[in-house]
C-alpha cells in the first residue's frame, strides 16, 4: 500500500483523492487540517456495497416477513407485505424509498436491540445476492475498502451516513469496512427502555425515529458527529445535501459521487432507479464541485474474489 | 500517573475502579473485554462539573435572554423568561428540569450551529460561577479528569451522556475533558438544513429533538454508540436508567453515582434539588449494584486551582 495506496483506482478521481489528502495532511500547508477534524462520511447502499436490484435491507425484511407469515398467513395476501414476500420489484419500486424502508424497519418491531443484532449477523452469514450469487457481505466494493484504509492511514476518522437501517449496518460494518458501531449513522426506529427482571433492554418500536436520507444526512451528521466533515462520498440524489454541506465548508473539501455505469462488472443505472435515483447529481456535479467517479473507467476492480477469506 | 493512577481518590470507590479496570483489561482473564467494547459513559452536570445552584446551561440561557430582551423588552415581564433573567431560583426550580431546559434550548433558535458554537465558546471564555467566583470551565472535578485519563490509558473510549445541551458541551468538552465532539451525547433541538447561497448550514429550531434524561439516556446510547457500555457514572435519579442498563449487561460492569455531600468544598444536596434529585439512587444503590462515591470521603481534591493554566 505504501507504494500505491490506491492501486485499484484509475484516472482523475484517483488524482483528486491523492491531491486532496496530500493538501490536508501537509503540516504547515495552507490547507492543513488537524487529525481531529479529518472526518470522512460515506453513504452505504450503492456507495460501499451493491444496492441492485434492491437494497440489502429489503431482502432481509423479505426473509423476516417469511418467518412472520408462518404465524400470520394473511400477510401473503396483503400489500405491501405481499410484494416483499414475492420480491415483486415493480410494486416495491412503485412504493418509493421512504415507504419501502418504513415497511422494512417495522418488520423488526417488538424485538430487543440485542436480538436484532444476533438475527442480522446470522442472516448475513449465509444470505446471498440473487443475481451475483455471492454473499451480500461479499458485495462490497474493493476500491472503497482501499480508500477507507488509505484515509484512516492518513489520520481520518471514517463514518457511514446512510439511509440503511443503523442496526443492520452495525452488524457487519466493523468486519467489512473497519468502521466501528459508534461511527455508523443510519435510519433508525424509536426504542423503549424496559427492565425485564433486573436486566435493562431496548425494544425496537414500529415508529420511525429518523429516515437518514436527503436533508436528514447533514442533520444527523450534526447530531452524531457535531463537525462538518471534510470528505463525503455518495451515489444518489439522496446524498446531495450531505455532499453540498461538506463541500461548502471553509478550506479544502472533497465530495465524490459514484456513477454506476458498469453493466458488465456490476450494474448500470442512474435516473431510472426510482428507489434511489441519480439525476440532479449528474446534471449539476460540476456546478456543485462534486467529483463523479465512473465505476467502469475509474475502478480497476469491483468485488472481492467470491467467498474469499473475509466471508 | 504510572505510580498512582487515581491519586485524588480514596477508599472503596477507588478500589472498585482499580479492580474493575484490572479485570476487564487482563488478557486471558475471565472478564477480559476487547478494547473496542470498552465504552464508558459519563453524565456531565453534577458528575463532571458543578450543577449548583443551577446547571450552567441555564446561566448561558439567562445571558442569551438578556441580549434578546434588548430587542423585545416585554420578555422582562413574561414568565418563564422573567425568572431566567432575574435568576429567580424559586420559580426556576418550580418549573422542573424538563421545562427549564426546554426554555433554555429555545433561546438559541434561529441561529446556525456554527454561530451557536462560536457564541458558546465566547461566553465560556469569561462566564463565572456566581458563588465560586471561578470560570465555569474551572468548575470541573479534578478526580474525574484523572479518572477519564486513567480509563483512556487503559483502552477505554469515553463518552458524555447528559441532559445538558449537546452543542454547549461540545464547545468545551474536548479541551476540558479530552472528549471529542463526536463522543458527546446530550439533549438536542431539531435543525433545518438550508442553503444560503452555495453554503449549506444547519439552523437550530425551537423544537426539542431529544431531552437526554432518564430512559432517553440508554435510548440515545443505543442510537449514537450502538453498544452497551461497561462503565457508567452519574449523580442523580435521571442517570439510573443508564446505570441499570450498563450494570445489567453480561460480564464485568461498573456503575457509579456521585453523592454531593461536601458543603465545605462544593455543595451538599440530594433529595432536595428538584431540578435533578438523588433519592431512589441513594435508597436502592446496593440493590442495583451501584457504587456510591461520596465527594467528602472519596475525593482528596475537588476543583483545579482557580484560573489555572487550562483556562
Amino acid at each position: 500500500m505504501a507504494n500505491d495506496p490506491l492501486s485499484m483506482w484509475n484516472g482523475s478521481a484517483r488524482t483528486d483523492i491523492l491531491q486532496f489528502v496530500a493538501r490536508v495532511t501537509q503540516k504547515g500547508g495552507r490547507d492543513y487540517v488537524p487529525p481531529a477534524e479529518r472526518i470522512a462520511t460515506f453513504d452505504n447502499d450503492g456507495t460501499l456495497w451493491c444496492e441492485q436490484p434492491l437494497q440489502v435491507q429489503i431482502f432481509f425484511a423479505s426473509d423476516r416477513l417469511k418467518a412472520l407469515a408462518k404465524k400470520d398467513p394473511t400477510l401473503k395476501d396483503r400489500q405491501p407485505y405481499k410484494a416483499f414476500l414475492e420480491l415483486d420489484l415493480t410494486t416495491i419500486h412503485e412504493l418509493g424509498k421512504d415507504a419501502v424502508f418504513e415497511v422494512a424497519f417495522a418488520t423488526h418491531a417488538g424485538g430487543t436491540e440485542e436480538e436484532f443484532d444476533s438475527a442480522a449477523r446470522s442472516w448475513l452469514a449465509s444470505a446471498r445476492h440473487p443475481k451475483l450469487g455471492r454473499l451480500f457481505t461479499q458485495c462490497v466494493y474493493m476500491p472503497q475498502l482501499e480508500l477507507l484504509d488509505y484515509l484512516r492511514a492518513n489520520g481520518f476518522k471514517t463514518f457511514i451516513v446512510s439511509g440503511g437501517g443503523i442496526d443492520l449496518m452495525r452488524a457487519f460494518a466493523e468486519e467489512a469496512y473497519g468502521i466501528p458501531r459508534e461511527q455508523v449513522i443510519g435510519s433508525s426506529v424509536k426504542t423503549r427502555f424496559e427492565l425485564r427482571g433486573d436486566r435493562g433492554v431496548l425494544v425496537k418500536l414500529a415508529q420511525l425515529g429518523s429516515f437518514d436520507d436527503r436533508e436528514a444526512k447533514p442533520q444527523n451528521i450534526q447530531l452524531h458527529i457535531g463537525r462538518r466533515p471534510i470528505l463525503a462520498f455518495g451515489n444518489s440524489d439522496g446524498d446531495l445535501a450531505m455532499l453540498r454541506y461538506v463541500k461548502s465548508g471553509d478550506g479544502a473539501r472533497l465530495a465524490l459521487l459514484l456513477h454506476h455505469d458498469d453493466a458488465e462488472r456490476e450494474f448500470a443505472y442512474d435516473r431510472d432507479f426510482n428507489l434511489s435515483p441519480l439525476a440532479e447529481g449528474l446534471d449539476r456535479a460540476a456546478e456543485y464541485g462534486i467529483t463523479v467517479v465512473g465505476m467502469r473507467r475509474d475502478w480497476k476492480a469491483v468485488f472481492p474474489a467470491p467467498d474469499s477469506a473475509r466471508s
Side-chain angles (χ1 to χ4, degrees), chain A:
Chain A
M1 187 173 121
N3 293 330
D4 188 356
L6 294 178
S7 68
M8 298 179 207
W9 288 73
N10 275 321
S12 63
R14 179 175 178 278
T15 308
D16 281 4
I17 296 168
L18 292 172
Q19 286 180 347
F20 171 76
V21 171
R23 284 168 68 194
V24 299
T25 55
Q26 197 203 336
K27 278 205 172 170
R30 192 171 55 95
D31 294 320
Y32 178 75
V33 176
E37 293 167 28
R38 291 181 203 156
I39 302 289
T41 53
F42 285 73
D43 170 60
N44 183 47
D45 293 317
T47 299
L48 293 179
W49 76 354
C50 182
E51 65 175 356
Q52 284 291 347
L54 291 170
Q55 286 90 350
V56 178
Q57 188 90 39
I58 304 169
F59 291 107
F60 183 41
S62 176
D63 284 347
R64 168 81 181 151
L65 275 167
K66 282 175 196 158
L68 295 175
K70 285 183 186 160
K71 292 175 196 165
D72 177 5
T74 70
L75 290 173
K76 291 179 190 162
D77 302 314
R78 283 155 58 198
Q79 290 293 18
Y81 311 109
K82 185 170 185 286
F84 274 70
L85 286 165
E86 296 169 0
L87 292 174
D88 163 5
L89 295 187
T90 309
T91 305
I92 290 174
H93 283 208
E94 277 167 8
L95 282 171
K97 193 175 183 182
D98 294 38
V100 165
F101 274 81
E102 278 214 48
V103 173
F105 298 146
T107 61
H108 306 287
T112 68
E113 290 285 0
E114 285 157 339
E115 287 162 358
F116 178 93
D117 191 62
S118 163
R121 283 173 191 276
S122 160
W123 185 80
L124 287 165
S126 64
R128 286 181 186 271
H129 191 285
K131 292 194 180 179
L132 301 172
R134 54 175 63 228
L135 292 171
F136 284 117
T137 53
Q138 296 265 315
C139 295
V140 297
Y141 304 134
M142 292 295 282
Q144 299 290 54
L145 301 185
E146 192 181 47
L147 174 57
L148 288 167
D149 282 341
Y150 172 61
L151 292 173
R152 288 189 292 255
N154 281 282
F156 280 75
K157 206 164 177 175
T158 52
F159 287 78
I160 290 174
V161 179
S162 171
I166 192 166
D167 294 319
L168 179 59
M169 294 189 287
R170 282 172 170 162
F172 72 95
E174 194 145 14
E175 200 178 339
Y177 308 134
I179 296 181
R181 297 176 69 89
E182 59 271 25
Q183 286 161 226
V184 175
I185 302 170
S187 296
S188 57
V189 293
K190 299 201 173 177
T191 59
R192 183 178 61 240
F193 179 70
E194 232 175 61
L195 284 158
R196 296 188 173 172
D198 282 340
R199 188 174 170 90
V201 295
L202 290 156
V203 179
K204 286 174 105 69
L205 305 179
Q207 194 187 352
L208 192 67
S210 169
F211 184 50
D212 188 38
D213 197 33
R214 297 180 288 268
E215 285 72 20
K217 291 202 175 199
Q219 288 163 345
N220 280 325
I221 287 171
Q222 173 59 34
L223 179 63
H224 288 251
I225 308 177
R227 311 181 196 258
R228 196 188 286 251
I230 64 169
L231 182 153
F233 210 137
N235 79 302
S236 79
D237 289 351
D239 296 310
L240 288 179
M242 170 168 80
L243 297 185
R244 298 186 71 187
Y245 176 62
V246 167
K247 185 67 189 174
S248 64
D250 300 325
R253 308 273 165 160
L254 186 62
L256 301 136
L257 204 46
L258 180 64
H259 186 203
H260 293 264
D261 58 0
D262 195 334
E264 198 178 317
R265 293 186 300 175
E266 200 231 15
F267 299 98
Y269 64 98
D270 42 51
R271 296 167 202 273
D272 52 317
F273 181 42
N274 61 349
L275 285 185
S276 205
L278 175 63
E280 181 185 347
L282 287 179
D283 294 338
R284 306 182 70 175
E287 178 191 339
Y288 297 161
I290 293 171
T291 298
V292 176
V293 177
M295 185 181 276
R296 197 172 43 182
R297 178 191 65 214
D298 292 324
W299 284 3
K300 292 185 193 165
V302 177
F303 295 121
D307 297 334
S308 67
R310 282 210 191 218
S311 75

